[in-house]
Amino acid sequence: MKRLVCILILALFMAGCSHLSVRHLEKNPFQLDQTDQLSMRYWNFEYISMVENGNYVVKGVAMPKSEVIPGWAEWLHDFWISVYLSDDQGRVLARDLMVFPTQKLDPVEGVRFEFVMEPEKMPSSRDTYLTFGYRMSLTEDRFQSPELSRPLTGEQSVFFASEGAVAR
């Protein structure tokens, strides 16, 4: 019984020490009132960061990278985008998330987004960075559900990709 209590205490301690990290993702220095671009594996993000009503607001458009997305992919399912503010060690200071309905993949118009973040505290002596995360499933048919895919039979084509924060 003593051993079980020790293990539980250790697990709770370790959980309390964990944090979200984006150290592994591409990032830009966080700068206000200027247009920036960030290229990730399957999406290019063009955005502007500003302060509105004491919050950080990030507005822009995500453009799919047609050169790396399968040519048959036409529909975007289970799609979300996150924005993260982090310190120089990749520790997430603030974040926001948008979930999008199923939609046609549009390499011309992309996907518009607007995030609002309320960081608890911003480091005044260290650099701050901005990055994005996303998750998506792509199919060739709108009504083809990625959850029902049978990858071993070859009957449906589903492409899945994800980049985001990890717990450390």
Side-chain angles (χ1 to χ4, degrees), residues 3 5 20 33 70 72 80 100 103 106 111 119 147-148 167:
R3 188 176 203 169
V5 171
L20 284 180
D33 302 319
W72 51 260
W80 59 256
F100 298 88
Q103 59 187 285
D106 190 339
V111 177
E147 295 83 33
L148 301 177

Side-chain angles (χ1 to χ4, degrees), residues 41-159:
R41 188 163 185 180
Y42 294 102
W43 291 89
N44 289 319
F45 295 88
E46 185 171 316
Y47 62 94
I48 185 166
S49 303
M50 60 198 83
V51 175
E52 288 181 2
N53 300 321
N55 296 320
Y56 293 110
V57 176
V58 179
K59 296 179 184 181
V61 64
M63 301 297 293
K65 294 173 85 172
S66 299
E67 65 275 11
V68 293
I69 290 177
W72 51 260
E74 292 189 27
W75 288 91
L76 192 53
H77 302 268
D78 305 322
F79 183 53
W80 59 256
I81 301 175
S82 285
V83 66
Y84 304 100
L85 283 180
S86 65
D87 63 16
D88 56 353
Q89 298 299 308
R91 185 181 299 255
V92 173
L93 304 170
R95 63 184 171 155
D96 195 12
L97 168 80
M98 288 184 71
V99 178
F100 298 88
T102 295
Q103 59 187 285
K104 193 141 176 87
L105 189 63
D106 190 339
V108 175
E109 294 294 319
V111 177
R112 299 222 167 262
F113 57 80
E114 180 173 337
F115 297 104
V116 178
M117 294 178 286
E118 303 175 40
E120 291 180 21
K121 62 179 183 174
M122 292 292 283
S124 58
S125 61
R126 289 193 251 160
D127 294 330
T128 307
Y129 297 90
L130 185 136
T131 191
F132 295 92
Y134 59 87
R135 175 188 162 112
M136 68 176 176
S137 294
L138 300 172
T139 63
E140 49 194 322
D141 183 1
R142 176 183 178 151
F143 299 106
Q144 179 177 332
S145 174
E147 295 83 33
L148 301 177
S149 67
R150 294 177 292 259
L152 299 178
T153 65
E155 292 180 26
Q156 296 181 350
S157 296
V158 177
F159 179 83

